[in-house]
């Protein structure tokens, strides 16, 4: 089956999963006063455009058509989240390699370019963390150091800048106990702290695949909404249906049908 047909099939399957919540609640408050303790990251890094491009991270500027697709995704996601004043967005996919990390990084950078928005990108893929590599930053122990009490959250969070824009990043690290960490009270406490200390920010969590362990199932109840990334060629309709069972209690703000490269001029498809 060719790539476009597969993308259309996935989009049809995604229709069932994607069911944004009923409109209610007030819009997300504009950035309030910053929380000085957590919002004064010690470590600042400048991102390099050539490194980003080499890793398909393109939404740091408005120049290319690919960046504009992420801006469209950003607007759609923020519209859904603002309706409920939501802050936490999980980025996941049915199986590995669908483009979660590329999507999460691009979405975060795109949001960071909005003058009245700010974003924290958290790498919560303790199996295959890649945010640091894709952005070209060394997070040392990152989130695992925080979970294990070696580093305070405020020191592990980096301020990543490119041009006039910046975002905060909590890089990831590999743990052989990923599943246990995701279900732990320590993780719950960390997420509560993030919610409190970064309350003016949209927080994007790059997660592992849904169907390759229980990590995502454990963490989903702590998220406000999810973005599902399906990969043409790697995600099947039955994968999406299986995800749907786990996503019954989670609002899926968008499904990205990724890697449908044969669609003319289209880098990403959204549903
Ligand atoms: N739209 C796209 N077109 C072509 N290649 C892509 C696209 N999006 C991502 N890729 C490539 O696919 C590979 C996997 O992407 P990425 O690491 O973002 O996936 P992932 O879902 O986070 O993987 P994992 O399950 O390992 O965390 C990378 O080599 C990335 O450059
Ligand atoms: Mg990834």
């Amino acid at each position: 089956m060719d790539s476009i047909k597969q993308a259309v099939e996935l989009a049809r399957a995604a229709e069932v999963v994607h069911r944004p919540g009923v409109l209610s609640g007030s819009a997300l408050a504009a950035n309030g006063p910053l929380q000085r303790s957590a919002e004064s990251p010690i470590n600042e890094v400048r991102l390099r455009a050539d490194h980003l491009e080499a890793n398909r991270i393109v939404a740091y500027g408005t120049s290319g058509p690919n960046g504009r697709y992420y801006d469209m995704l950003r607007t759609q996601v923020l519209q859904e989240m603002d309706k409920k004043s939501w802050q936490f967005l999980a980025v996941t996919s049915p199986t590995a390699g669908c483009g979660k990390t590329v999507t999460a990084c691009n979405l975060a950078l795109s949001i960071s370019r909005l003058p009245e928005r700010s974003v924290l990108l958290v790498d919560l893929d303790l199996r295959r963390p890649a945010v640091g590599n894709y952005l070209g930053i060394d997070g040392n122990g990152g989130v695992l150091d925080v979970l294990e009490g070696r580093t305070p959250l405020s020191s592990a969070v980096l301020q990543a800048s490119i041009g006039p824009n910046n975002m905060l990043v909590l890089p990831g690290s590999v743990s052989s106990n990923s599943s246990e960490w995701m279900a732990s009270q320590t993780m719950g406490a960390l997420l509560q702290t993030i919610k409190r200390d970064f309350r003016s920010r949209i927080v994007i969590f790059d997660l592992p695949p849904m169907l390759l362990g229980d990590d995502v199932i454990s963490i989903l109840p702590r998220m406000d909404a999810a973005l599902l990334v399906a990969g043409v060629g790697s995600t099947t309709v039955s994968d999406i249906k299986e995800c749907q069972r786990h996503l019954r209690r989670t609002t899926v703000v968008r499904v990205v049908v990724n890697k449908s490269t044969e669609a003319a001029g289209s880098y990403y498809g959204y549903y």
Side-chain angles (χ1 to χ4, degrees):
M1 191 189 303
D2 68 38
S3 159
I4 297 175
K5 263 195 190 154
Q6 279 188 48
V8 170
E9 272 211 356
L10 291 177
R12 282 211 185 105
E15 215 173 337
V16 191
V17 181
H18 164 53
R19 43 171 206 290
V22 182
L23 311 195
S24 76
S26 57
L28 189 75
N31 286 346
L34 298 181
Q35 303 297 296
R36 286 298 354 146
S37 59
E39 291 266 6
S40 309
I42 301 161
N43 301 309
E44 295 184 19
V45 284
R46 284 211 71 82
L47 304 180
R48 284 188 13 238
D50 59 338
H51 182 93
L52 296 178
E53 297 264 352
N55 288 282
R56 298 183 191 275
I57 312 299
V58 293
Y60 59 89
T62 45
S63 50
N66 295 334
R68 284 199 289 274
Y69 283 107
Y70 288 109
D71 291 352
M72 286 165 66
L73 177 64
R74 160 190 80 187
T75 302
Q76 293 167 335
V77 166
L78 290 178
Q79 278 175 355
E80 292 300 334
M81 294 191 68
D82 286 358
K83 285 172 193 167
K84 299 246 179 175
S85 301
W86 279 335
Q87 184 189 10
F88 280 9
L89 178 71
V91 178
T92 186
S93 63
T95 48
C98 294
K100 296 177 291 299
T101 306
V102 165
T103 303
C105 291
N106 276 304
L107 182 60
L109 278 167
S110 180
I111 293 174
S112 79
R113 296 192 352 262
L114 291 172
E116 290 173 357
R117 297 287 189 156
S118 56
V119 63
L120 165 64
L121 173 61
V122 180
D123 192 340
L124 263 196
D125 187 342
L126 302 178
R127 294 173 188 269
R128 288 166 74 174
V131 168
N133 281 347
Y134 285 10
L135 295 178
I137 57 182
D138 176 11
N140 296 315
V143 72
L144 199 59
D145 271 3
V146 179
L147 288 168
E148 291 180 343
R150 282 190 296 273
T151 308
L153 177 62
S154 56
S155 305
V157 169
L158 309 173
Q159 179 167 282
S161 322
I162 182 153
N165 308 307
N166 66 73
M167 65 178 177
L168 298 186
V169 181
L170 178 55
S173 34
V174 179
S175 168
S176 50
N177 300 317
S178 171
S179 173
E180 290 75 14
W181 274 124
M182 295 299 254
S184 68
Q185 288 183 3
T186 311
M187 179 66 81
L190 172 61
L191 295 181
Q192 272 181 5
T193 305
I194 290 175
K195 192 152 250 180
R196 188 195 62 216
D197 288 355
F198 299 95
R199 65 171 171 263
S200 64
R201 291 181 183 260
I202 291 286
V203 186
I204 298 175
F205 295 88
D206 182 27
L207 297 180
M210 284 198 80
L211 304 179
L212 302 183
D214 62 345
D215 297 31
V216 176
I217 300 166
S218 297
I219 210 87
L220 271 181
R222 303 184 192 279
M223 297 288 130
D224 293 320
L227 179 73
L228 192 67
V229 181
V232 174
S234 52
T235 302
T236 64
V237 170
S238 66
D239 289 338
I240 295 209
K241 285 187 177 148
E242 204 174 335
C243 286
Q244 191 192 336
R245 287 195 300 118
H246 300 300
L247 287 164
R248 265 193 214 120
R249 285 184 207 83
T250 307
T251 298
V252 179
V253 286
R254 274 290 175 278
V255 178
V256 173
V257 179
N258 190 25
K259 299 190 181 179
S260 58
T261 47
E262 286 168 34
S266 163
Y267 190 66
Y268 272 76
Y270 310 120
Y271 221 80

